[in-house]
Amino acid sequence: MKVQPAVRKETAKVGLGTAILSVLMLGVFAMLGRLDLTVVLGTLLGAGAAMLNFFLMALSVQQAAEDMHGVHVPPEPEGEEGEDAPSAEPVPEIQRAKRRMSLSYTGRMLMLAVVAILALSLDCFHPIPAALALLFPRIAISVEGFLQSHKKEA
């Protein structure tokens, strides 16, 4: 499977945000006089796992979209209050895409759980920067969305 340009572009943007936040966090640890190798390794572990998680999520979305073969998801039927909405036969492409996304989510969450267990159980990783770095892609995405909304207003 070829990685689409949109996946590469979004991964690069989130990766840059994650790197900036990681450097800022390391700076805070340095200012507090707590910077050591375990902090750096914890940051690398958390940020690396977070970026891998984001990239794998983007790939699974890409693959699910490709599995749809141009099938559009119809809007959910709306029935009267108290009535059951008519159930349409599920489209196999939609079911396959949903299954792929569900399996991807489960696998990625297991991977993050393993990373958290490693950060907590191995002395070479400081667990706090590892845990914080797992949040950096979400923060980077939120900041980018905030900045984009303010660009549109200007």
Side-chain angles (χ1 to χ4, degrees):
M1 165 180 50
K2 184 179 177 197
V3 178
Q4 292 181 358
V7 170
R8 284 194 299 269
K9 179 182 174 187
E10 290 305 312
T11 302
K13 284 196 292 189
V14 172
L16 177 62
T18 300
I20 290 169
L21 290 169
S22 295
V23 168
L24 288 174
M25 181 175 65
L26 292 173
V28 168
F29 271 88
M31 286 189 309
L32 295 173
R34 305 294 231 140
L35 184 63
D36 61 16
L37 185 59
T38 65
V39 172
V40 174
L41 292 176
T43 302
L44 290 173
L45 176 69
M51 284 310 305
L52 180 59
N53 178 49
F54 181 83
F55 180 69
L56 293 175
M57 179 208 53
L59 278 183
S60 68
V61 169
Q62 173 187 317
Q63 187 61 46
E66 290 172 0
D67 284 351
M68 296 291 286
H69 301 293
V71 173
H72 296 286
V73 178
E76 295 292 326
E78 295 179 19
E80 296 282 325
E81 222 175 282
E83 288 182 23
D84 287 333
S87 62
E89 189 66 31
V91 179
E93 289 87 352
I94 294 171
Q95 286 184 323
R96 186 172 34 251
K98 284 183 180 180
R99 193 173 328 114
R100 177 180 301 278
M101 292 301 297
S102 178
L103 285 172
S104 169
Y105 178 79
T106 302
R108 291 182 295 106
M109 291 305 106
L110 285 172
M111 175 192 71
L112 293 178
V114 167
V115 167
I117 290 167
L118 287 174
L120 288 169
S121 61
L122 296 177
D123 291 335
C124 63
F125 300 114
H126 194 300
I128 293 173
L132 289 175
L134 288 173
L135 302 174
F136 290 167
R138 169 67 62 193
I139 295 168
I141 292 166
S142 297
V143 168
E144 181 196 3
F146 178 77
L147 293 175
Q148 290 297 328
S149 69
H150 284 308
K151 274 187 183 177
K152 290 179 184 176
E153 291 175 7

